[in-house]
Amino acid sequence: MTSDLRNRLLLLLVLPLMALALVGIWLDYRSADEAAERHDLRLLRLLPALADSVLAPPIHDREPPLLLLAPPVEDFLRQNAGYAAYSVRDTSGRLLLGEAWVHAGVPTTQAPEFHSMEYGGVTYRVAVQRGRTGAGELVVALADGSDPRQQWAQQLLLRVLLPNLVLVAAAGLAIHWAVRRAFKPLVELADAVERRSPRDLSPIDEAASPAEVRPLVHSLNRLFALVNAQAEGQRRFVADAAHQLRTPLAGLQAQVEAWAMMARASVPAPLSLNLDKKQPLAQEGRAPGAIVLGVDQIEKLRNATRRTSQLAHQLLALSRADARSVDAQPSQRVDLKDLCETLLETFLDVATGKGLDLGLDVQPVHVSGHGWLLRELLSNLVDNAIKYTPAGGVVTIRCGVRRNAVGPTRVFLQVEDDGPGVPEDERGRVMQRFYRVPGTVGEGTGLGLAIADEIARVHHALLILGSGAQGRGLVVTVVFAPEPPAVVGA
């Protein structure tokens, strides 16, 4: 990660430096070009003065014409001594005055011309013009070796390219060192997290981290806290489950131990049971080694077995309702009316045996979800209602649509009973696992509503507890969110 960031930073900084170097080269060239244009204008103004400096033809043949340099030309040659020269030639190109190397051909017109030539390792700008002089029509030329445009190309490497290359190389080294130094706390943080034990979820000291890394450290601490809370919840869940299983198993073990002691105290023989609660089998006629059990003992064994079985089933349901395991399974279109009718048939015999009126008030509605989980949810709600409603009570299963004047239409699932209900100040706590309202009559595990709430959350639904008709009993309503959308109608 650090190496990649270092390379990216190096690239992001070197490319602008190179772009700036190119801009510098272009600006330097433009500056030299403007200076060269000024030099060309200067040479152009001096050419007529140089032509006027030729005052008369030669007195004798093979002698040069009479020359008296005009002050501007003389000042130019003096100021640029060693880098300036002139020449005067006739129309055939023969040198009459000046330096022989200053030549650029004979112009065919009287318009000034400019040429570049190299002499003695110096590039000169030569201005040539053909015109009338005191000695007749001649060709005058001025050479200037101080033209910045001519020197710019030669000095490009030394003045522009080399400094910029050195700058880019120095920037690369500086970036490499700076990134290594800047990311050292992040690397140390990564090493510290990697060296941690899976059980070590203690927070990282944010104050010891740089300000730029503190948001990451804060997020890591928050993640550690969430994982720690989840692990702690799992530990509490296992401890509570073990505690809840211990009670029925202890009762079952006590019964078995009692029977074992009775068996050891008698001669081995087939086991016989006395189903009369009051009287054991008559001593006479009982087979030697037989164990006499009352109906109450058998019922205790049965109840303990049922409670253990129900608890194991609920623990399995709670584990299967975990959101992480459910998210991997595809959703289905669930018919809530059909689900309610099926659960009515399932619990009808139990409710009738207890003397309850189990009713149905349903509409044809559908939701998107997991059918087996919604069945488990409704089963827990109906089982709780039947378990805690006294004989002669009424339990009603409902499903339908809530139409609000403001807001979207929502599908609901509801179970109402006229039992003891849940006090308002206890309704938040009964959703906790293994919690039972103090003073509750009957046996239970405290997992029914917890499972229902977990399944509701998986389906993005809200489980609401309320009071029944006339403030009696309990109404448990599951309101499904508009998304995933619910389809109304068969």
Side-chain angles (χ1 to χ4, degrees):
M1 176 191 66
T2 306
S3 177
D4 187 43
L5 288 176
R6 185 186 301 122
N7 294 334
R8 274 189 277 177
L9 285 175
L10 182 63
L11 186 63
L12 291 175
L13 291 176
V14 167
L15 287 180
L17 287 176
M18 295 180 65
L20 290 175
L22 294 176
V23 172
I25 293 173
W26 182 79
L27 292 176
D28 193 52
Y29 177 79
R30 288 292 301 170
S31 177
D33 189 59
E34 291 176 359
E37 289 180 358
R38 291 194 296 269
H39 279 70
D40 286 352
L41 292 175
R42 184 182 182 187
L43 292 177
L44 187 61
R45 288 193 299 266
L46 290 175
L47 283 178
L50 180 58
D52 293 340
S53 299
V54 182
L55 301 178
I59 300 175
H60 301 286
D61 292 340
R62 297 185 179 180
E63 289 185 359
L66 181 60
L67 176 69
L68 179 61
L69 290 176
V73 177
E74 187 174 5
D75 291 341
F76 170 73
L77 295 174
R78 184 175 62 254
Q79 293 173 1
N80 298 282
Y83 291 96
Y86 73 95
S87 68
V88 178
R89 299 174 182 273
D90 58 20
T91 55
S92 63
R94 182 171 62 88
L95 179 67
L96 300 178
L97 296 168
E99 302 294 336
W101 58 268
V102 181
H103 63 87
V106 178
T108 57
T109 65
Q110 292 187 355
E113 298 179 0
F114 290 90
H115 304 278
S116 296
M117 62 173 296
E118 186 174 349
Y119 178 76
V122 178
T123 300
Y124 290 86
R125 184 70 167 171
V126 181
V128 183
Q129 187 174 24
R130 180 173 181 170
R132 299 296 298 178
T133 69
E137 188 174 10
L138 298 177
V139 178
V140 294
L142 273 176
D144 181 12
S146 63
D147 186 350
R149 183 170 49 193
Q150 307 300 329
Q151 299 175 1
W152 177 85
Q154 297 177 348
Q155 298 179 1
L156 176 64
L157 177 63
L158 183 62
R159 292 177 52 189
V160 180
L161 293 182
L162 187 58
N164 281 284
L165 288 175
V166 173
L167 177 62
V168 170
L173 293 176
I175 293 169
H176 184 277
W177 177 84
V179 172
R180 185 182 184 89
R181 182 87 175 182
F183 280 92
K184 185 177 180 181
L186 185 58
V187 174
E188 292 176 350
L189 175 63
D191 293 340
V193 173
E194 187 175 359
R195 288 195 300 269
R196 279 193 170 205
S197 167
R199 299 180 181 273
D200 185 7
L201 297 176
S202 58
I204 303 171
D205 186 9
E206 295 186 25
S209 304
E212 294 79 6
V213 185
R214 286 176 188 171
L216 174 62
V217 176
H218 179 74
S219 299
L220 284 175
N221 287 338
R222 181 174 177 273
L223 177 62
F224 290 160
L226 292 175
V227 174
N228 194 27
Q230 185 180 23
E232 183 63 26
Q234 292 294 335
R235 286 193 291 270
R236 288 198 305 268
F237 175 76
V238 172
D240 293 342
H243 177 74
Q244 292 293 325
L245 285 170
R246 187 180 298 117
T247 301
L249 290 178
L252 182 61
Q253 183 178 2
Q255 293 292 332
V256 174
E257 291 290 343
W259 297 340
M261 293 177 63
M262 293 172 63
R264 285 195 296 270
S266 60
V267 180
L271 176 66
S272 63
L273 301 178
N274 181 8
L275 300 181
D276 186 357
K277 287 187 177 181
K278 304 299 182 180
Q279 299 295 332
L281 289 173
Q283 294 296 327
E284 59 277 5
R286 189 182 70 173
I291 300 175
V292 180
L293 296 179
V295 174
D296 57 342
Q297 295 173 306
I298 299 298
E299 288 182 348
K300 288 180 181 179
L301 176 61
R302 181 188 61 185
N303 292 336
T305 305
R306 286 179 177 178
R307 186 179 174 190
T308 304
S309 176
Q310 182 186 16
L311 179 60
H313 173 77
Q314 288 182 320
L315 290 175
L316 177 60
L318 193 59
S319 175
R320 295 176 66 190
D322 183 76
R324 291 173 298 177
S325 61
V326 172
D327 287 342
Q329 304 178 25
S331 298
Q332 300 172 342
R333 191 166 180 263
V334 182
D335 186 343
L336 293 187
K337 178 183 177 183
D338 181 67
L339 180 63
C340 292
E341 292 173 348
T342 302
L343 266 294
L344 176 70
E345 296 177 0
T346 303
F347 286 93
L348 186 58
D349 291 341
V350 178
T352 303
K354 193 175 178 181
L356 301 178
D357 180 10
L358 181 60
L360 197 64
D361 180 11
V362 295
Q363 300 175 12
V365 290
H366 298 78
V367 294
S368 178
H370 306 277
W372 56 276
L373 276 180
L374 293 176
R375 178 186 176 89
E376 187 67 33
L377 181 151
L378 186 58
S379 177
N380 277 277
L381 297 182
V382 176
D383 182 69
N384 274 357
I386 294 175
K387 183 183 299 181
Y388 297 109
T389 301
V394 178
V395 177
T396 306
I397 306 173
R398 297 188 182 95
C399 70
V401 177
R402 281 187 172 180
R403 293 182 172 85
N404 300 324
V406 179
T409 299
R410 296 191 174 188
V411 173
F412 73 91
L413 190 63
Q414 187 179 84
V415 176
E416 180 180 1
D417 63 67
D418 58 357
V422 177
E424 189 172 353
D425 57 348
E426 293 284 347
R427 291 175 185 173
R429 302 186 63 185
V430 294
M431 301 292 187
Q432 300 176 5
R433 299 170 182 178
F434 302 110
Y435 179 80
R436 302 187 71 205
V437 177
T440 302
V441 180
E443 295 185 351
T445 61
L447 283 176
L449 287 177
I451 294 173
D453 184 54
E454 186 74 23
I455 297 174
R457 281 186 291 166
V458 167
H459 288 79
H460 308 286
L462 182 63
L463 191 143
I464 305 171
L465 301 183
S467 299
Q470 300 177 352
R472 294 182 55 194
L474 179 67
V475 178
V476 183
T477 307
V478 180
V479 181
F480 293 88
E483 293 293 336
V487 181
V488 182

